[in-house]
Amino acid sequence: GAVVSQHPSRVICKSGTSVKIECRSLDFQATTMFWYRQFPKQSLMLMATSNEGSKATYEQGVEKDKFLINHASLTLSTLTVTSAHPEDSSFYICSASDYRLNYGYTFGSGTRLTVV
Amino acid sequence: GQQVMQIPQYQHVQEGEDFTTYCNSSTTLSNIQWYKQRPGGHPVFLIQLVKSGEVKKQKRLTFQFGEAKKNSSLHITATQTTDVGTYFCAGDSGGSNYKLTFGKGTLLTVNP
């Protein structure tokens, strides 16, 4: 089945620094990946759609200059949280789909970001 | 934009009781998917429903897709403690962007 690897699983950073989160599709190619944010006990909020070789598509209200997305290859998308602030602390999850299979979307294991 | 409403938000049952969560979309869906997220974990794909009126079963789990392709339900028979988690429905309205809209989820807790 489809496997999506997300790294790191946890990160603590200081306010004002930047953090990069990687999302890799291990056994399939993903022209499209999705980045979500999830607050405690809440649903997944789609932040942006990452498109290989082109600019990401951001959802309304998501600052593209703050959440930089790069999808440089068919197996890797990165989300960089720039100039992080405590309110950016959250659970960030990526997902991708192998459309050759009827497996829906495979999610990465998520990254717990804490900004202190 | 598209909205997916899911109820109830929480459900606590005794082990052995049944459980049902319901999903309603504001627009007709191309397909609907169900995911389970254990506490502290990430969403795991359970199933995808595509056809109008479709019913699929996975052991004690029964998934239904409404005739109008706007609502869906997940029913668990004789719950077990391993069923604990949040169940999300996610609607795909079709189109080339493959974007999913998630419901708010139903947190199921099971008392042994």
Side-chain angles (χ1 to χ4, degrees):
Chain A
V3 178
V4 173
S5 173
Q6 187 172 342
H7 179 80
S9 58
R10 292 179 181 272
V11 59
I12 300 174
C13 71
K14 293 184 178 180
S15 287
T17 60
S18 296
V19 174
K20 180 185 283 188
I21 303 170
E22 292 187 350
C23 183
R24 293 180 184 272
S25 56
L26 295 187
D27 51 358
F28 67 102
Q29 295 181 335
T31 55
T32 304
M33 291 185 177
F34 301 90
W35 287 96
Y36 294 86
R37 184 173 180 177
Q38 187 177 35
F39 292 101
K41 299 183 179 180
Q42 293 195 24
S43 189
L44 293 96
M45 182 191 79
L46 180 65
M47 298 174 65
T49 302
S50 174
N51 306 299
E52 187 269 334
S54 65
K55 293 182 180 180
T57 306
Y58 289 82
E59 295 299 302
Q60 192 173 8
V62 178
E63 299 176 61
K64 60 181 179 182
D65 293 331
K66 180 165 188 61
F67 298 100
L68 299 179
I69 290 173
N70 184 280
H71 196 150
S73 76
L74 286 170
T75 58
L76 174 64
S77 175
T78 60
L79 167 68
T80 301
V81 183
T82 63
S83 187
H85 291 285
E87 56 265 30
D88 298 325
S89 299
S90 189
F91 192 52
Y92 293 89
I93 319 177
C94 66
S95 76
S97 180
D98 184 355
Y99 301 108
R100 300 168 301 171
L101 310 172
N102 192 23
Y103 282 175
Y105 290 78
T106 302
F107 282 80
S109 55
T111 298
R112 175 78 56 194
L113 170 63
T114 304
V115 184
V116 296
Chain B
Q2 180 187 37
Q3 292 185 339
V4 175
M5 290 142 287
Q6 188 173 355
I7 57 169
Q9 191 173 358
Y10 304 98
Q11 184 77 62
H12 178 74
V13 300
Q14 288 291 129
E15 191 171 22
E17 291 181 340
D18 293 355
F19 158 77
T20 306
T21 173
Y22 302 90
C23 223
N24 278 288
S25 169
S26 59
T27 59
T28 301
L29 299 170
S30 170
N31 67 78
I32 195 160
Q33 301 173 24
W34 286 90
Y35 293 81
K36 177 183 179 181
Q37 185 175 20
R38 292 181 185 275
H42 59 277
V44 174
F45 174 74
L46 294 177
I47 208 160
Q48 176 176 286
L49 304 172
V50 179
K51 298 177 183 177
S52 169
E54 188 170 17
V55 178
K56 286 188 176 180
K57 291 191 176 185
Q58 289 180 351
K59 296 183 180 178
R60 294 179 294 104
L61 277 61
T62 302
F63 303 85
Q64 293 188 335
F65 201 10
E67 294 290 339
K69 299 184 72 173
K70 294 180 72 173
N71 57 65
S72 181
S73 65
L74 158 59
H75 179 83
I76 302 178
T77 304
T79 54
Q80 299 174 359
T81 54
T82 53
D83 295 326
V84 164
T86 301
Y87 293 85
F88 292 99
C89 61
D92 182 349
S93 58
S96 59
N97 59 6
Y98 305 107
K99 195 165 69 173
L100 291 180
T101 302
F102 279 81
K104 290 188 181 296
T106 298
L107 172 59
L108 171 66
T109 54
V110 180
N111 200 30

